[in-house]
Amino acid sequence: MTETLQRPAPAARAGRVRLGLAPAPFLAPGMIYLIVFMAVPVGLLAFYTFFERGRFGGIVFEFTLDNWVKLFEPLYLGVILQSIALAGIVTLLALLIGYPMAYAIAGLSPKWRTVALVAVVLPFWTNFLIRTYAWILLLNNAGWVNQWLQGLGITDAPISMLYTPQAIVVGLLYMYLPLMVLPLYASLQQLDPSLREAATNLGATPWRAFRTVTFPLSLPGALTGCIFVFVPAMSNFVIPELIGGGKTIMIGNLVRDQFFEARDWPFGATLALLLTIFLVLVIVVQSAVSRRLTEGPRRG
Amino acid sequence: MPTTRRVAAAAAGTIALAFALSSCASGGGGAEELDPNADLSEQTLTVSIWADYSPEDLAERFEEATGVKTTIVNHTTNEDIVAKLTASADPGIDVAFVSGQYAQALGEQGILAKLDKSLIPNEKNLYPEALELAYDEGNVYSEPYAWGTTGLCYRPDLTGFDPTSWNDLLNPKPELVGKTTMLSTDRWLSMPALKAEGHSINTTDDAELEDAKAQLLETKPTLLAYDDTTFYSKLVSGEAAMVEAWDGWCNYGIAEDPSIKFVVPEEGADLWVDTMTVLESSKNKEAAMAFINYILDPEVQTWVAENILYKVPNKAAMDALDPALIESYPTLGITVDELMQQETIVDLGEDSLKYVDLNAEVLATN
């Protein structure tokens, strides 16, 4: 009896040691794929940033730091900061809207939970461009929404809703809200209900139980959601162009234009690399914060 | 270069870009002897053209006529194809369709082969004017495929008047504020402002470009949007009342709403030409020349005019065009004389950077 109780523990420990190189075959396909299609292109990007542009695109092998200097011109700096601001606003709004949504879904009966989750994910089954054009059809000055508003006599003249920075925020929010809801839902749904019950039994009001128990425990999910929204929102260029009417551009548009309009690959590479570095830093900070949150001050 | 499919371009191109290491292109450009009796069926041909810009069965028809096994591939923009052509010594393309100013630049770089006119007898079908275009006088490196101009495409019922000047777009009447769009690509962003101020669209004078930039920044807040791809549908839906448009694209609006009109403003506009070129690196030059000759056949170019609603520089083809079609799409009726009064866009070499910077500044400024 004592033997059977004792055995599993050392066996597990020994097993972990013996694993050694065993994960290699499992890791290899994914790692090779990532190295070829992620590390190599990013390495190329970094390499390009230090050379002169070719007249027809491509690069000329003459060393220069101009591309990095150019980043700090007010024009480009402005676009970069504007992108951070727009993506930040979108992320914040997604959190404010997405949190109650995820909270409500987690509280549903299993059957309705599935229905709600499918509804959240459903838009992803339609092509991204088609959904973007749908917004244009709905919101333009001669679009359905304005026709209804005028038809019902609510307004006399059409309300301009498209081709503004606000429209970009709405478009990005619509596009990425599900990416906020899903990780939040996952973390809220995993919460042990007995923790909340304990808080209530000890006299906490529902609000206080939420504030001191539920909310802190759901923060890692919220942070994951924020990253899921912020990262693609920051680099999107289709929505600024189609819904923003090309009047307000984001860093994604700058990158695209360097390659397809300006034929300035080195500067395009510099912008792309900057975007990559910035987003990696954001993710590193996010994962550090969320590790502290889940593991508590024991390690911190 | 009216086939800028910017959105599609972005997705397709970025992957290819990562693999192209060097843009250092080499090549002679000297005329080598071509064999007029070469057995074409021994040759194969790869042709790169904008999507939806040629008959669907073109490859089969050319193959049937000449025995040349032909593959047609698509590019999305001039920038896209130029990047492919300059990225390696042999891009594997024999015939490339590019706009005139790009043919000029590629020709100067030795990337294009001189055309062997003895193999292109159909050149005689072209208007004489189409042999004297500024980007390639005498059609040394290129033969024109389609041409046109840029102007104002508008809905008279929404504007309430017939615009005559670029200023109607640049400094719109109060009732048209928020109801106009401009092209934002390449040289077409600055063109209206340069023309309105009486400057050449090929100017490299910094003061003139500053003028244009100041005007464009003043115009920006009055625009509904910058739009290079869907401006005609904005007219059809009534979102916009007047848009800067390539003549052929205005026709796509007219096709849906016949009340839409097109005008070349009195200050003039550009003459753009999409051309066919043969790569110096091609090992199938006889077949490539035969292909260009085949396209210049009136029957083939009539198809182009009828289906993509662009004017073609082929007199025989234009003469064969159904008058009813010209009545429906008046831009097809713009005469060669009228077209010749417009200014041909030419490549500006290193100075083209000035336009790149101007575009970036106008588009990125709030």
Side-chain angles (χ1 to χ4, degrees):
Chain A
M1 190 66 192
T2 37
E3 265 185 32
T4 43
L5 270 176
Q6 275 165 356
R7 213 171 271 154
R13 225 172 284 147
R16 212 175 293 157
V17 174
R18 241 184 282 135
L19 270 173
L21 281 173
F26 298 100
L27 279 173
M31 289 307 280
I32 291 170
Y33 188 86
L34 284 179
I35 287 169
V36 172
F37 292 107
M38 175 70 196
V40 171
V42 170
L44 264 179
L45 274 187
F47 178 72
Y48 275 18
T49 63
F50 295 107
F51 293 95
E52 304 254 354
R53 56 177 290 175
R55 192 177 153 201
F56 301 108
I59 54 167
V60 175
F61 289 95
E62 280 171 39
F63 182 82
T64 176
L65 288 174
D66 288 356
N67 300 309
W68 289 97
V69 176
K70 201 172 170 184
L71 277 184
F72 294 96
E73 285 179 17
L75 184 71
Y76 298 110
L77 212 54
V79 174
I80 294 166
L81 294 176
Q82 181 169 276
S83 306
I84 296 174
L86 281 171
I89 294 170
V90 169
T91 308
L92 192 68
L93 289 173
L95 184 62
L96 289 176
I97 299 174
Y99 198 99
M101 246 175 106
Y103 190 84
I105 294 173
L108 291 173
S109 70
K111 189 181 111 194
W112 286 108
R113 213 182 278 166
T114 313
V115 173
L117 285 176
V118 169
V120 168
V121 182
L122 204 61
F124 282 117
W125 296 359
T126 311
N127 179 286
F128 163 73
L129 272 180
I130 292 175
R131 281 185 287 146
T132 307
Y133 275 109
W135 275 98
I136 296 177
L137 281 181
L138 284 174
L139 293 186
N140 78 60
N141 284 351
W144 292 3
V145 172
N146 268 316
Q147 281 175 16
W148 274 94
L149 286 177
Q150 289 175 85
L152 295 173
I154 298 171
T155 56
D156 296 333
I159 303 172
S160 296
M161 289 178 276
L162 274 182
Y163 316 123
T164 58
Q166 293 86 322
I168 298 178
V169 170
V170 172
L172 289 172
L173 181 60
Y174 160 75
M175 210 54 82
Y176 299 123
L177 184 59
L179 298 182
M180 176 66 85
V181 174
L182 295 178
L184 264 174
Y185 161 78
S187 76
L188 285 167
Q189 196 250 337
Q190 278 167 9
L191 280 190
D192 189 345
S194 57
L195 291 174
R196 224 179 316 169
E197 283 161 25
T200 317
N201 285 347
L202 291 170
T205 58
W207 168 242
R208 189 176 169 138
F210 172 79
R211 202 160 43 89
T212 54
V213 178
T214 311
F215 184 68
L217 286 171
S218 69
L219 269 181
L223 278 174
T224 309
C226 287
I227 289 293
F228 281 4
V229 173
F230 185 83
V231 170
M234 173 97 186
S235 45
N236 193 298
F237 60 86
V238 175
I239 286 178
E241 182 165 313
L242 294 179
I243 296 186
K247 291 191 288 185
T248 308
I249 66 173
M250 293 176 69
I251 186 169
N253 302 75
L254 270 186
V255 174
R256 193 270 322 271
D257 285 351
Q258 295 310 309
F259 285 103
F260 288 97
E261 291 280 330
R263 279 171 280 154
D264 191 342
W265 295 16
F267 187 54
T270 311
L271 285 164
L273 193 66
L274 177 83
L275 182 62
T276 310
I277 292 171
F278 176 76
L279 294 177
V280 167
L281 283 179
V282 170
I283 292 170
V284 167
V285 170
Q286 178 262 345
S287 62
V289 171
S290 110
R291 204 178 320 122
R292 276 187 73 116
L293 285 171
T294 41
E295 291 174 4
R298 271 168 301 173
R299 281 197 189 178
Chain B
M1 193 232 16
T3 30
T4 323
R5 304 256 152 85
R6 308 179 75 180
V7 179
T14 25
I15 301 155
L17 291 173
F19 288 95
L21 262 168
S22 152
S23 77
C24 306
S26 58
E32 76 194 74
E33 268 325 296
L34 295 190
D35 177 8
N37 302 315
D39 181 5
L40 294 184
S41 62
E42 297 283 298
Q43 301 194 355
T44 59
L45 207 58
T46 303
V47 178
S48 190
I49 184 170
W50 289 279
D52 305 323
Y53 205 31
S54 61
E56 261 173 48
D57 56 349
L58 181 62
E60 290 85 47
R61 279 160 64 174
F62 178 64
E63 206 169 321
E64 206 171 285
T66 60
V68 181
K69 196 162 169 16
T70 306
T71 311
I72 293 191
V73 294
N74 289 328
H75 53 258
T76 44
T77 60
N78 278 313
E79 283 78 11
D80 178 18
I81 182 65
V82 165
K84 275 185 206 161
L85 298 183
T86 54
S88 68
D90 182 3
I93 289 167
D94 301 292
V95 175
F97 284 62
V98 296
S99 295
Q101 67 271 31
Y102 290 85
Q104 176 191 0
L106 291 170
E108 283 167 6
Q109 298 284 304
I111 291 164
L112 300 182
K114 287 194 168 132
L115 300 178
D116 185 335
K117 297 302 173 68
S118 68
L119 299 178
I120 311 179
N122 278 340
E123 192 187 67
K124 69 174 191 301
N125 295 324
L126 294 176
Y127 290 104
E129 291 87 346
L131 289 157
E132 293 160 8
L133 297 164
Y135 60 84
D136 181 19
E137 278 183 42
N139 295 7
V140 179
Y141 293 108
S142 67
E143 290 289 1
Y145 176 71
W147 62 6
T149 183
T150 309
L152 296 171
C153 184
Y154 64 102
R155 288 249 315 248
D157 57 322
L158 296 180
T159 56
F161 70 107
D162 290 312
T164 55
S165 160
W166 284 118
N167 280 313
D168 293 326
L169 173 73
L170 295 167
N171 302 300
K173 295 182 174 182
E175 60 267 30
L176 287 185
V177 169
K179 289 188 152 299
T180 58
T181 76
M182 284 183 75
L183 301 172
S184 68
T185 186
D186 216 331
R187 305 274 287 277
W188 286 277
L189 173 66
S190 50
M191 197 262 285
L194 286 171
K195 279 293 177 194
E197 287 159 15
H199 305 316
S200 159
I201 55 172
N202 295 310
T203 184
T204 56
D205 181 292
D206 291 327
E208 293 183 356
L209 289 168
E210 275 302 314
D211 268 6
K213 190 174 94 185
Q215 172 66 66
L216 290 169
L217 286 174
E218 217 170 284
T219 305
K220 186 172 180 177
T222 71
L223 295 176
L224 175 70
Y226 289 108
D227 192 339
D228 301 321
T229 45
T230 59
F231 47 85
Y232 60 91
S233 24
K234 287 197 167 82
L235 274 186
V236 173
S237 72
E239 272 181 277
M242 175 164 60
V243 300
E244 180 192 357
W246 295 297
D247 50 356
W249 282 52
C250 187
N251 287 335
Y252 303 154
I254 296 174
E256 287 179 58
D257 178 354
S259 80
I260 291 175
K261 284 186 174 176
F262 179 84
V263 64
V264 178
E266 61 199 9
E267 299 93 347
D270 65 312
L271 164 62
W272 57 260
V273 187
D274 287 339
T275 73
M276 304 175 276
T277 63
V278 176
L279 274 288
E280 177 62 19
S281 60
S282 166
K283 290 168 190 70
N284 308 294
K285 291 203 181 71
E286 287 86 359
M289 303 294 163
F291 180 82
I292 289 180
N293 189 54
Y294 181 78
I295 296 284
L296 294 180
D297 185 280
E299 194 207 326
V300 178
Q301 281 212 315
T302 304
W303 182 97
V304 171
E306 282 172 353
N307 287 275
I308 57 174
L309 302 175
Y310 284 25
K311 288 181 291 300
V312 292
N314 191 315
K315 186 170 190 309
M318 289 306 282
D319 288 346
L321 213 56
D322 184 352
L325 195 71
I326 298 176
E327 201 171 314
S328 311
Y329 301 104
T331 71
L332 289 176
I334 295 175
T335 66
V336 176
D337 281 346
E338 287 168 319
L339 214 48
M340 286 306 130
Q341 285 161 23
Q342 314 309 325
E343 193 177 0
T344 310
I345 301 178
V346 295
D347 182 67
L348 300 169
E350 290 301 324
D351 281 332
S352 45
L353 274 184
K354 292 181 179 178
Y355 284 85
V356 168
D357 290 344
L358 186 150
N359 283 18
E361 284 172 39
V362 171
L363 295 178
T365 304
N366 279 331

